[in-house]
Amino acid sequence: MNSSAIIFRPIGVIHSEHEVPEKTPIQPVFAENCRGLAEIFPAFVSGLKDLEGFSHLYLIYHLHQAPPGKLIVKPFLQDVERGIFATRAPPRPNAIGLSIVELILRQGNMLHVRGVDILDGTPILDIKPYSATFDHVKATRSGWMDEVNGETASQLGKRGYKS
């Protein structure tokens, strides 16, 4: 394995109402009414061509306020230690986040999005269109998350956010 550094440069930044990590919804499903803007830097605007045809986008971003990486964590839904790769917790070896958001409108270099569970000022690394044809998968099991009831997940996932 080559252990040389991999360097990414941001293509934009997220603007959202979420300024405090502990008060930010955990996943887009718990932030369905949270709106935000994905501001794309001028050098990358031509890459937005044809994006308006998609209802949803994957935003890939740098978890710039995440704690240092850990391999064992306690996820927000349980008080049980789990391997980091079996969770969506932020203290990852590589601080990369992924959210599926709804694209409401594109205005030049600004993408108006909904379902934003991302901190204000978060650097965007990439954008990919969500495709129901290629990306829709019917999951048959969700590991330890199957042990958590939906009401508990919703209550914990919103972290006090009132949508």
Side-chain angles (χ1 to χ4, degrees), residues 30-47:
F30 304 124
E32 65 182 312
N33 292 319
C34 299
R35 291 181 177 245
L37 292 172
E39 177 184 1
I40 306 308
F41 298 147
F44 301 99
V45 171
S46 64

Side-chain angles (χ1 to χ4, degrees), residues 8 29 158:
F8 293 102
V29 69
K158 288 183 181 178

Side-chain angles (χ1 to χ4, degrees), residues 66-75 81-87 89-95:
K70 297 180 182 181
L71 295 179
I72 303 295
V73 298
K74 286 186 181 179
E81 290 188 334
R82 304 284 181 183
I84 189 69
F85 303 125
T87 77
R92 312 190 74 74
N94 291 302

Side-chain angles (χ1 to χ4, degrees), residues 26-144:
I26 298 289
Q27 296 292 320
V29 69
F30 304 124
E32 65 182 312
N33 292 319
C34 299
R35 291 181 177 245
L37 292 172
E39 177 184 1
I40 306 308
F41 298 147
F44 301 99
V45 171
S46 64
L48 298 175
K49 182 180 184 303
D50 303 318
L51 199 62
E52 300 90 340
F54 294 89
S55 66
H56 290 78
L57 309 171
Y58 289 103
L59 294 182
I60 302 158
Y61 47 91
H62 173 61
L63 296 164
H64 68 299
Q65 291 191 28
K70 297 180 182 181
L71 295 179
I72 303 295
V73 298
K74 286 186 181 179
F76 79 97
L77 289 174
Q78 286 188 331
D79 193 26
V80 176
E81 290 188 334
R82 304 284 181 183
I84 189 69
F85 303 125
T87 77
R88 295 180 174 198
R92 312 190 74 74
N94 291 302
I96 297 171
L98 171 71
S99 293
I100 297 174
V101 298
E102 182 182 2
L103 176 61
I104 305 300
L105 172 70
R106 174 186 168 200
Q107 288 182 308
N109 70 322
M110 302 297 271
L111 304 176
H112 296 254
V113 292
R114 181 173 31 227
V116 177
D117 65 332
I118 308 166
L119 283 174
D120 185 59
T122 296
I124 302 169
L125 301 176
D126 203 355
I127 300 168
K128 296 185 181 217
Y130 176 89
S131 168
T133 303
F134 303 125
D135 298 330
H136 181 77
V137 176
K138 181 169 174 41
T140 57
R141 61 187 190 279
S142 295
W144 62 268

Side-chain angles (χ1 to χ4, degrees), residues 30 76-77 148-159:
F30 304 124
F76 79 97
L77 289 174
V148 180
N149 77 41
E151 188 175 321
T152 299
S154 179
Q155 193 173 50
L156 294 172
K158 288 183 181 178
R159 297 174 119 182

